[in-house]
C-alpha cells in the first residue's frame, strides 16, 4: 500500500523537522533579575516586498547596528496591503524589544484608507527616525519644459492633456501629484503604475509627462541627462550636487511641502530600560560615519529624530496628510475602491 | 574590454564568488519554494564583508543559476522548482516516466548553456539600444503583446479550446485576488488580511502541479508507473534526441531573449511561448504532453536567455522590471553602486568583470549540472512512496519561507486539491497559470492605456508602435477563428461521409 507507506514517511519527516525546531538551550530565568537585553538577535519586520526602498536603508543600518546593540538585527519581509499586514503583525507581537519594525509615511494613512484592527500611530511606539527625503517632480529632457512655471502654463493652456504617473491609488506619489494639480488649478489625468520603477520607465518613454519620485531612484537618469528635476517638495535644497540646483515648491510660491520619512517602531508597551537601550543604540548607529556614507552614496540624507520628536512629527503629518487626501479627493477614490 | 573583464573575473576571490553563486543558484532552483528573491535577501548580510565586485558576481550567479536547477524537480516529480519551469513539467515528467529523465535533464542543461551564452552576447552587444526599445513600449504596446500572447497560448498549450478558455478565465479571476496595486481595491479577499497580499504564482504552481501530482499518485490503487531501469549508456540524450533538440534550443534562446525585455514575469511567459512555438512548428504536435523532447529543450532555453535579458533594463537604466532584479538592485546599491546609463563608463572593472563572470559562471553551471544529472536520476530509484513525502515537507518549508506566512501553506495545500481534481476531470492546469500571469497584466495595461489615451480606443490602437502590434493581434485572432470553424466543418464532413 503506497499510501500507508507514504503517510508513515511523511509523519517521520514532519517529526524530524519539528525536532529541528526545538531549542534545547531554553533556560528558565527567575523573573526578578534585571532584564538583560538584548541576548539574542532582533527581528526587524519590513512590511514591503524584498528589494524595496526601505529595506535598502535598513540594510545599511544592519551593517552597523550590532556595534551599538551587541546583537545583530534580522530583516524579515512581510509584504502586503501597502504595509498593512506587516504593521498589523508588528502591533500584535510581544512588546519585549525582540520584534521591531520599519515605519514609513504610509503608516499614518492606513487609518483613513480602511478598517483595521490597530490604529498604528497609537499602537506602535517610535524608537527613532533615520531618514527623511523629499519627493522630486521630474520631467523627461525630451520635453520642452525647463522650469515648473512652463509646465504649469502648458497644463493650464491644454486642459486634460498632461498625464502624470504614480505608484498606485492612495500612494504618496498619487497624493502629491493630485495636490500639485489641485494647487495650480491644472486639469490633468493620473495614470497608475506598479511601483516606482515602472513609473520612471513610463516617464523615460514619454508615455506620461511628469512624475513625483524619490531622489535615489532618479539620480542616475538625471546625471545621464535623461530626466530633469523641476522642483522638490522639501523645505530646503538637497545637499547632493545632482539635486542642489532644484528649487523647492515653496520658493516657487506653491504650498506643497512633503517629506517621506522612515523610522524604527516597536509594539507597545516596551519595558522602559529596553526602550532606552534601543533609542540610544539607534541614535549612535545613525550617527555612525559608515552608515552616513552609505546613505549619502544612495542619495538619501540621514535625518535623525528621537522618540518624542518622531511622535510630534507623526501628529503634524497626520493633520497635513489628511488635509491633502480630503482636498484632492484621493481619500474618496480609495474609499470607493475598497467598498 | 571583455579581456579586461576576464582578468578581473579570474582573480581568485571573484572566481570563488562566481562558483559559489552559481552552485547556490542551482540549489535555489532545485529546491521548490525557495526562490531567487528569498535567497539573495538571505545572503545580503553575508556579503557586507566581501568586495563589491565579488559580491555582485555572486548575486548575479545565483540569479541566472537558479534557472538551471528549476527543471530538475519538474522532470523528476512534476514539481516545478521555479515558476519558469512549470511548462517543463508537461513533457519533462512524461519523459521521466518513460525512463528518459536523464535525457530531459541533460538537454535542459545543454539548452540552458547555449541560451545563456546567447543571452550574455546579446546583453553585452545590444544592452543600451535594447533598453531604449523597452522604454519606447508603453502600456498600449504591452497590451497588444499580452493579448496576442494570450491567444497564441490558448491554442497551443492544450488540446481542447473550450476547456482552455474556461481555465484561463478562472485563472485571470484568481490573478485578481488581493489588494490591487493600481486602484487599492481589495478583491475576492472575503475580508481576509492574508488574501490582501494576493496569491503568489509560485504557490499555485507548486500546489497544482507538485502536490496535485502527489495526491494523484497516492489515490491511484496501482503502484506509480514503473520507471524503466536506466543503463549508464542511456543516461544522456541519444542521437535522435540531440537532433530533435537543436532547433528548439536555438528558437528558445532567441524568443526568451526578446520576451525577457518585457516587464513582469517575463521568464515564465517566455517558457509558455516557447512551448507553444515548438508545438506549432512540430511535425507531430500530438506527441506534446507525452514526452516530446522539444517541449523541454525550447522552454528551458527560453527561461535562461530571458533572465539575461531582464538584466538589460537593470544594468543600463537602473530599473528593475521584476522581483528578482529588484533585489539584485538592492544588492548593487548596498555596495554603493547604482546601475544606470553611466554604469559602463564609471565602473568599467565592475561591468566587464560581471559580464565575464557570466560567461565563466555559465560554463561552470554546465560542468556542475551535466554530472549531476546522473545523481538526480539515481534519486528516482527511491520508491515514490518515500521520495514524495520528503519532497512535500521540503516544499511546504520553502513555501513558508517565501513570505514567512503560515497562511501560504494552506493556499498550497488547497491548490494541491484543486490540481488533483483538475487532473481527475481531465483539465490541463497550464492555462490556469497562463490566466494568472497574463490576466492581471492585461487588466493593468487596459486601465493605463485608457487613461493615457483619454479613453479613446482608436488612439490606443493607432500609436506608431502599437498599430502594427494590434494588426498582428487581429490577424492571430482571425486565424484562430478560421481554423476553429474549419475544424468543426471537417468533423461534420466526416460524420456525413459515415452516413453515406
Amino acid at each position: 500500500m503506497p499510501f500507508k507507506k507514504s503517510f508513515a514517511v511523511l509523519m517521520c519527516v514532519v517529526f524530524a523537522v519539528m525536532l529541528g525546531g526545538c531549542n534545547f538551550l531554553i533556560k528558565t530565568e527567575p523573573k526578578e533579575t534585571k532584564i538583560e537585553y538584548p541576548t539574542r538577535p532582533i527581528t526587524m519586520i519590513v512590511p514591503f516586498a524584498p528589494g524595496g526602498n526601505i529595506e535598502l536603508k535598513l540594510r545599511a543600518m544592519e551593517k552597523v547596528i550590532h556595534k551599538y546593540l551587541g546583537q545583530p538585527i534580522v530583516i524579515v519581509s512581510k509584504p502586503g496591503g501597502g504595509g498593512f499586514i506587516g504593521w498589523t503583525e508588528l502591533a500584535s507581537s510581544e512588546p519585549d524589544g525582540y520584534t521591531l519594525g520599519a515605519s514609513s509615511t504610509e503608516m499614518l494613512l492606513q487609518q483613513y484608507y480602511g478598517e483595521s484592527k490597530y490604529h498604528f500611530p497609537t499602537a506602535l511606539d517610535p524608537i527613532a527616525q533615520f531618514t527623511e527625503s523629499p519627493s522630486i517632480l521630474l520631467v523627461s529632457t525630451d520635453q520642452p519644459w525647463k522650469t515648473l512655471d512652463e509646465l504649469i502654463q502648458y497644463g493650464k493652456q491644454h486642459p486634460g492633456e498632461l498625464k502624470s504617473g504614480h505608484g498606485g491609488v492612495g500612494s504618496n506619489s498619487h497624493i502629491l501629484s493630485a495636490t500639485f494639480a489641485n494647487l495650480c488649478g491644472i486639469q490633468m489625468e493620473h495614470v497608475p503604475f506598479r511601483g516606482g520603477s515602472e513609473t520612471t520607465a513610463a516617464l523615460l518613454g514619454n508615455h506620461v509627462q511628469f512624475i513625483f519620485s524619490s531622489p535615489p531612484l532618479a539620480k542616475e537618469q538625471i546625471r545621464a541627462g535623461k530626466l530633469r528635476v523641476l522642483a522638490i517638495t522639501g523645505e530646503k535644497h538637497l545637499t547632493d550636487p545632482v539635486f542642489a540646483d532644484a528649487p523647492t515648491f515653496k520658493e516657487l510660491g506653491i504650498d506643497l511641502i512633503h517629506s517621506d520619512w522612515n523610522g524604527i517602531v516597536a509594539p507597545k508597551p516596551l519595558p522602559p530600560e529596553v526602550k532606552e537601550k534601543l533609542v540610544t543604540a539607534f541614535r549612535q548607529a545613525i550617527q555612525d560615519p559608515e552608515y552616513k556614507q552609505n546613505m549619502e552614496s544612495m542619495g538619501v540624507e540621514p535625518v535623525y529624530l528621537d522618540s518624542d520628536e518622531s511622535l510630534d512629527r507623526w501628529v503634524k503629518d497626520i493633520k497635513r496628510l489628511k488635509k491633502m487626501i480630503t482636498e484632492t479627493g484621493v481619500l474618496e477614490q480609495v474609499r470607493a475602491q475598497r467598498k | 574590454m571583455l579581456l579586461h573583464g576576464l582578468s578581473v573575473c579570474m582573480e581568485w576571490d571573484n572566481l570563488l564568488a562566481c562558483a559559489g553563486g552559481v552552485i547556490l543558484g542551482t540549489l535555489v532552483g532545485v529546491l521548490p519554494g525557495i526562490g531567487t528573491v528569498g535567497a539573495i535577501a538571505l545572503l545580503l548580510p553575508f556579503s557586507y564583508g566581501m568586495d563589491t565586485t565579488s559580491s555582485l558576481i555572486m548575486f548575479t550567479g545565483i540569479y541566472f543559476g537558479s534557472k538551471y536547477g528549476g527543471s530538475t524537480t519538474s522532470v523528476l516529480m512534476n514539481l516545478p522548482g521555479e515558476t519558469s519551469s512549470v511548462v517543463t513539467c508537461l513533457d519533462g515528467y512524461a519523459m521521466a516516466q518513460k525512463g528518459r529523465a536523464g535525457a530531459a535533464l541533460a538537454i535542459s542543461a545543454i539548452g540552458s548553456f547555449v541560451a545563456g551564452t546567447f543571452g550574455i552576447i546579446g546583453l553585452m552587444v545590444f544592452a543600451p539600444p535594447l533598453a531604449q526599445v523597452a522604454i519606447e513600449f508603453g502600456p498600449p504596446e504591452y497590451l497588444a503583446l499580452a493579448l496576442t500572447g494570450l491567444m497564441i497560448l490558448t491554442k497551443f498549450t492544450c488540446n481542447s479550446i473550450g476547456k482552455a478558455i474556461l481555465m484561463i478565465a478562472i485563472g485571470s479571476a484568481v490573478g485578481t485576488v488581493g489588494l490591487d496595486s493600481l486602484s487599492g481595491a481589495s478583491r475576492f479577499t472575503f475580508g481576509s488580511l492574508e488574501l490582501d497580499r494576493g496569491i503568489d504564482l509560485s504557490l499555485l504552481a507548486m500546489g497544482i502541479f507538485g502536490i496535485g501530482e502527489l495526491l494523484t499518485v497516492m489515490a491511484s490503487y496501482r503502484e506509480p508507473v514503473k520507471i524503466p531501469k536506466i543503463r549508464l549508456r542511456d543516461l544522456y540524450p541519444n542521437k535522435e534526441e540531440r537532433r530533435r533538440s537543436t532547433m528548439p534550443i536555438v528558437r528558445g534562446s532567441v524568443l526568451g531573449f526578446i520576451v525577457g525585455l518585457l516587464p513582469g514575469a517575463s521568464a515564465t511567459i517566455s517558457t509558455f511561448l516557447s512551448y507553444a512555438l515548438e508545438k506549432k512548428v512540430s511535425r507531430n504536435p500530438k506527441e506534446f504532453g507525452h514526452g516530446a523532447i522539444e517541449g523541454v529543450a525550447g522552454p528551458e532555453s527560453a527561461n535562461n536567455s530571458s533572465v539575461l535579458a531582464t538584466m538589460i533594463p537593470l544594468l543600463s537604466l537602473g530599473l528593475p522590471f521584476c522581483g528578482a532584479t529588484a533585489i539584485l538592485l538592492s544588492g548593487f546599491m548596498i555596495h554603493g553602486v547604482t546601475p544606470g546609463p553611466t554604469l559602463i563608463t564609471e565602473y568599467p572593472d565592475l561591468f566587464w568583470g560581471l559580464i565575464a563572470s557570466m560567461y565563466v559562471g555559465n560554463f561552470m553551471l554546465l560542468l556542475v549540472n551535466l554530472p549531476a544529472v546522473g545523481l538526480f536520476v539515481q534519486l528516482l530509484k527511491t520508491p515514490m512512496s518515500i521520495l514524495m513525502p520528503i519532497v512535500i515537507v521540503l516544499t511546504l518549508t520553502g513555501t513558508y519561507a517565501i513570505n514567512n506566512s503560515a497562511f501560504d501553506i494552506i493556499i498550497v495545500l488547497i491548490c494541491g486539491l484543486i490540481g488533483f481534481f483538475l487532473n481527475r476531470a481531465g483539465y490541463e492546469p497550464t492555462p490556469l497559470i497562463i490566466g494568472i500571469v497574463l490576466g492581471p497584466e492585461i487588466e493593468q495595461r487596459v486601465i493605463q492605456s485608457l487613461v493615457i489615451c483619454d479613453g479613446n480606443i482608436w488612439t490606443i490602437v493607432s500609436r506608431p508602435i502599437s498599430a502594427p502590434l494590434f494588426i498582428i493581434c487581429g490577424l492571430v485572432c482571425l486565424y484562430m477563428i478560421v481554423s476553429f470553424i474549419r475544424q468543426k466543418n471537417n468533423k461534420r464532413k466526416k460524420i456525413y461521409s459515415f452516413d453515406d
Side-chain angles (χ1 to χ4, degrees), chain B residues 177-179 188-190 192-199 407 411:
Chain B
V177 170
L179 207 59
F188 297 118
T189 58
F190 305 102
S192 150
L193 269 185
E194 280 91 353
L195 277 177
D196 260 359
R197 191 169 46 223
I199 295 176
F407 187 78
I411 291 186

Side-chain angles (χ1 to χ4, degrees), chain B residues 397-421:
Chain B
T397 318
T399 304
Y400 179 77
I402 296 178
N403 286 323
N404 302 302
S405 152
F407 187 78
D408 287 353
I409 297 182
I410 302 175
I411 291 186
V412 168
L413 292 177
I414 293 174
C415 291
L417 277 180
I418 295 172
F420 170 66
F421 287 118

Side-chain angles (χ1 to χ4, degrees), chain A residues 299-317:
Chain A
V300 183
E301 281 180 58
V303 178
Y304 175 75
L305 291 183
D306 70 15
S307 181
D308 295 335
E309 289 165 345
S310 296
L311 207 57
D312 286 346
R313 173 92 209 236
W314 289 8
V315 175
K316 264 188 228 151
D317 274 5

